[in-house]
Each structure stands twice: as structure tokens, then as C-alpha cells.
């Protein structure tokens, strides 16, 4: 089989590898589609502290089970599946409180273990989620990015009465917009970004109001309208955003952080306690695949609104470079395998 391998930072090859046999409890998935995420590019460029090389990247992928290991029900053969990249021990403290996404021995497919940019991948059977026939392939491949939004909303518990502010109209901001509008019917979702084209995408995903903070002060615009967000989600992830969010938030608001910056954020305690704000952080997803599959079955979200490009995997380098360089035109880029 052919696999997309990052040999070491900045060295990507399409390598011939032996077809793996699934071990006990595993299934082999013949990959059909995969999505490119920022972290794939970070591993390619050597900017992901968790990655070990050589590595088959890719943690958003969909395909068909074509072999099962010992102990796995043979009726799974031929099933269409989306793969949860989070592998956890099931025994540690975080696993015991329903947070396998921060398991003390967390393994993420495509980061710590070989992932889905490959003609075939072997994964634990329980990570391969059956996709009902009603869900198209091009939607099924997008389950994983939407699980990030499901994790955000799992913490924040949005209601119809919220006024939500989302920083960043990249893929993460857009999946969150769709979840807030489509699933939770939040009455007002505001999105702030510095790129007009991305703000237009946010509108297509359901944002009620978009603000370009390269052109105007976010605080001035919100103050002018007397808007105090009750739910703020940072999907732009600059360390300076937390203090601004604390300042802008309504009393009793919730703030959700998604960023992994190692730079300090300067914040004032009084701004948080004075309004009794709740601040959540979110990483990957905690058992959210069935949640998103349900959203898709009910037609509450539309992943196609995020997909701007599709490449055959032989052109993976072009695909990643486009993804890195063109934030105006590019949002989600898909790779096709074995078409
Ligand atoms: P992206 O880079 O495509 O999008 C970020 C957007 O934020 C861009 O459109 C950019 O113009 C905008 N932006 C940057 N600074 C801004 C500011 N000060 N004000 C307003 N807008 C600003 O990234 P993507 O894929 O959407 O991911 C967003 C962030 O989420 C990344 O930092 C990524 O590391 C993080 N992430 C976190 C996950 C988690 O589980 N916690 C999972 C996936 C991504």
C-alpha cells in the first residue's frame, strides 16, 4: 500500500509499505477520503511537539472496513466508518471521569501513531464508527472536525438565549458556528476575524453578524450596539485574546479556550471573579463521534460549506502548501484515496 509519510520535518514522501494485518481488537480500513488540518501541516513542518518521525499523518479520515482482527465481529466487514483518532487507556483518572481525550497515556492517530493519509490504516475497532447509509462520504470525512465543536458545546452548554462571540473564522470557528446555529439555535452568533473572505464563509455557515477586527475595534463595535456576549469561544487562539474576552464578556458568561500557545496570556483576576465568569478549555473530543453522526443524520450541520478543495493524495504536497498559503480561498482541503 502507499502511505504519506513525513520522514522528518519538511520531508514528505509517498512510500510503499506492506499491507498491515489487523491485530486482535483492530480493524483495517481502506481509506476513501481524508481531511487536512493545521496539525498535519505542523507535523510536516516540525512544529508539533508531540509528533515522532517518521509518521503517517492524518487524523480526519473515512473509509470501509476490509479486514478484522481476532475478537472483532465479522459483520463489521464492509462497514463505512469514520475513525476517532483518540486512543485512551480507559483506566486513568481522566478516562474515569469521561475525558479520554486527555488520557494520561493519550495516543492520537496521525500524531503519536500512524494515521489516515494512507491507502489503508489499522485502528482499534471501537474507534471506527459506523456511518449510516444516509450520510454521504464527503460528510462522513468531516465528522472529526465537528467533534471539536461538539466538545466545545459539551462544555459550554449553549442555549437559544445566548449571544455568542467566536474569534476566528478558520475551520474550527466555522464548525462551531454551525453547531451553535444548527444544533443549539443560538439567537445571535457573532464572528470576528481579520480576513474578509473567511468572514464571508462564516456568514455562509450561519453567523448572524461578522466583524473584521483588522479594520475596526471589536470592543468599540460591540459597545456601540450594547452587546455583551454571554458565550465566547476562542478559535483564533492568540494569547492576547483571553483578556479581551474577559473584558467583553457579560457577567456570568462562559469562555472556551481552544489554543495551544506556549506564550503567556496576561489576565486580571478581578475581571473574571467580578463577573463570575466560567472559563473552559477543550482538547480534541471526548466520545463525540456518535453525537456528530447524529447531527449529520438529522441534517443539523452542513460540512460541505467548509470544503473548498479536493486533491488526489498523490498531490498531497500541493494540497498542504495551498492550505498553508491561501487562507483567503482555502478552508477544508480533502484528499481522495483509491478512487
Ligand atoms: P486557522 O489558522 O485556519 O484559523 C484561525 C483564524 O483566526 C484565521 O482565520 C485568522 O485570521 C483568525 N485570527 C487570528 N488571530 C485573530 C485575532 N486576533 N482576532 C480575530 N481573528 C484572528 O486555524 P483553525 O484550523 O481554524 O484552528 C484554530 C485554532 O484552534 C488553532 O490555534 C488550532 O491550534 C486550534 N485547534 C484546537 C483544537 C482543540 O482541540 N483545542 C483542535 C483543532 C484546532
Amino acid at each position: 500500500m502507499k502511505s504519506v509519510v513525513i520522514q522528518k520535518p519538511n520531508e514528505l514522501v509517498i512510500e510503499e509499505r506492506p499491507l498491515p494485518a489487523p491485530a486482535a481488537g483492530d480493524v483495517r480500513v481502506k481509506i476513501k477520503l481524508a481531511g487536512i488540518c493545521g496539525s498535519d501541516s505542523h507535523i510536516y513542518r516540525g512544529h508539533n511537539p508531540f509528533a515522532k518521525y517518521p509518521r503517517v499523518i492524518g487524523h480526519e479520515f473515512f473509509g470501509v472496513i476490509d479486514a478484522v482482527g481476532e475478537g472483532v465481529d465479522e459483520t463489521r466487514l464492509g462497514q463505512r466508518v469514520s475513525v476517532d483518532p483518540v486512543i485512551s487507556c480507559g483506566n486513568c483518572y481522566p478516562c474515569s471521569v469521561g475525558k479520554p481525550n486527555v488520557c494520561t497515556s493519550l495516543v492520537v492517530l496521525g500524531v503519536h501513531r500512524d494515521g489516515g493519509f494512507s491507502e489503508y490504516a489499522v485502528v482499534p475497532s471501537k474507534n471506527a464508527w459506523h456511518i449510516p447509509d444516509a450520510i454521504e462520504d464527503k460528510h462522513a470525512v468531516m465528522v472529526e472536525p465537528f467533534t471539536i465543536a461538539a466538545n466545545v458545546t459539551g462544555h459550554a452548554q449553549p442555549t437559544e438565549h445566548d449571544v455568542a462571540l467566536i474569534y476566528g473564522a478558520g475551520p474550527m470557528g466555522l464548525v462551531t458556528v454551525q453547531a451553535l446555529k444548527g444544533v443549539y439555535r443560538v439567537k445571535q452568533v457573532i464572528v470576528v476575524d481579520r480576513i474578509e473572505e473567511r468572514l464571508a464563509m462564516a456568514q455562509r455557515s450561519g453567523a448572524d453578524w461578522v466583524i473584521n477586527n483588522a479594520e475596526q475595534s471589536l470592543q468599540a463595535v460591540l459597545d456601540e450596539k450594547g452587546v455583551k456576549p454571554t458565550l465566547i469561544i476562542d478559535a483564533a487562539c492568540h494569547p492576547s485574546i483571553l483578556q479581551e474576552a474577559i473584558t467583553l464578556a457579560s457577567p456570568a458568561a462562559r469562555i472556551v479556550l481552544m489554543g495551544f500557545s506556549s506564550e503567556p496570556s496576561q489576565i486580571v483576576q478581578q475581571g473574571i471573579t467580578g463577573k463570575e465568569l466560567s472559563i473552559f478549555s477543550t482538547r480534541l473530543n471526548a466520545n463525540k463521534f456518535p453525537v456528530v453522526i447524529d447531527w449529520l443524520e438529522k441534517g443539523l450541520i452542513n460540512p460541505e460549506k467548509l470544503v473548498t478543495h479536493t486533491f488526489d493524495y498523490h498531490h498531497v504536497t500541493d494540497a498542504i502548501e495551498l492550505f498553508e498559503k491561501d487562507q483567503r480561498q482555502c478552508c477544508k482541503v480533502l484528499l481522495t484515496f483509491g478512487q
Side-chain angles (χ1 to χ4, degrees):
M1 68 170 185
K2 294 273 198 301
S3 299
V4 175
V5 183
I6 310 299
Q7 299 280 21
K8 58 183 185 191
N10 292 310
E11 201 175 302
L12 182 154
V13 292
I14 296 178
E15 192 176 86
E16 181 67 31
R17 290 185 157 196
L19 188 64
D26 286 348
V27 296
R28 186 173 67 205
V29 181
K30 184 176 190 321
I31 310 295
K32 293 185 87 172
L33 282 166
I36 296 177
C37 165
S39 60
D40 298 310
S41 144
H42 295 155
I43 297 171
Y44 181 23
R45 302 301 176 193
H47 300 153
N48 184 315
F50 308 113
K52 299 267 180 302
Y53 301 89
R55 176 62 62 240
V56 176
I57 51 175
H59 60 272
E60 301 174 5
F61 56 105
F62 160 78
V64 175
I65 293 179
D66 87 322
V68 298
E70 198 187 312
V72 178
D73 190 343
E74 293 208 349
T75 60
R76 298 215 66 187
L77 284 166
Q79 256 183 21
R80 299 164 68 243
V81 292
S82 286
V83 178
D84 186 345
V86 173
I87 299 177
S88 55
C89 75
N91 302 314
C92 65
Y93 170 70
C95 283
S96 76
V97 294
K99 294 193 174 203
N101 50 324
V102 285
C103 171
T104 54
S105 43
L106 177 69
V107 170
V108 181
L109 293 169
V111 181
H112 307 93
R113 190 185 290 181
D114 284 344
F117 289 3
S118 185
E119 289 181 316
Y120 295 84
V122 165
V123 305
S125 172
K126 72 181 172 67
N127 285 60
W129 288 89
H130 176 227
I131 298 294
D133 291 344
I135 299 176
E136 293 177 65
D137 294 4
K138 61 189 175 189
H139 288 191
V141 67
M142 295 286 286
V143 172
E144 197 278 343
F146 277 93
T147 64
I148 309 293
N151 221 60
V152 167
T153 57
H155 290 303
Q157 297 293 318
T159 73
E160 290 180 5
H161 307 294
D162 272 311
V163 174
L165 171 66
I166 300 174
Y167 281 89
M172 288 303 107
L174 299 184
V175 290
T176 309
V177 173
Q178 288 204 17
L180 293 184
K181 291 304 293 185
V183 180
Y184 294 91
R185 307 278 167 207
V186 170
K187 74 172 171 212
Q188 190 175 27
V189 175
I190 307 162
V191 178
V192 57
D193 202 295
R194 299 156 161 176
I195 302 174
E196 274 308 319
E197 289 85 346
R198 288 208 149 182
L199 290 171
M201 274 197 231
Q203 280 175 312
R204 285 200 291 280
S205 273
D208 300 292
W209 183 17
V210 297
I211 299 169
N212 187 330
N213 62 344
E215 288 170 0
Q216 13 180 203
S217 147
L218 176 61
Q219 174 147 25
V221 176
L222 294 182
D223 283 352
E224 191 193 317
K225 299 247 195 246
V227 171
K228 291 251 171 242
T230 58
L231 169 58
I232 301 183
I233 294 148
D234 178 11
C237 308
H238 189 275
S240 64
I241 289 173
L242 178 55
Q243 180 55 55
E244 186 178 68
I246 290 168
T247 306
L248 297 176
S250 158
R254 298 90 82 210
I255 297 175
V256 187
L257 301 178
M258 300 179 71
F260 291 96
S261 173
S262 55
E263 297 300 314
S265 295
Q266 211 172 23
I267 54 168
V268 178
Q269 284 186 1
Q270 200 181 71
I272 303 171
T273 48
K275 297 196 251 187
E276 203 179 336
L277 301 178
S278 302
I279 301 183
F280 297 93
S281 68
T282 184
R283 182 176 182 191
L284 300 163
N285 87 91
N287 303 316
K288 300 298 187 206
F289 267 63
V291 173
V292 173
I293 292 167
D294 182 56
W295 292 355
L296 284 169
E297 265 195 299
K298 293 183 173 143
L300 304 178
I301 51 173
N302 184 353
E304 271 173 76
K305 291 186 176 166
L306 271 70
V307 178
T308 52
H309 298 80
T310 303
F311 285 79
D312 179 279
Y313 80 96
H314 291 99
H315 302 291
V316 59
T317 310
D318 295 339
I320 295 178
E321 283 177 4
L322 178 81
F323 173 82
E324 291 171 338
K325 288 186 188 139
D326 194 354
Q327 285 206 320
R328 291 183 187 283
Q329 308 305 329
C330 225
C331 185
K332 182 55 67 184
V333 180
L334 299 181
L335 298 175
T336 57
F337 289 83
Q339 301 284 312

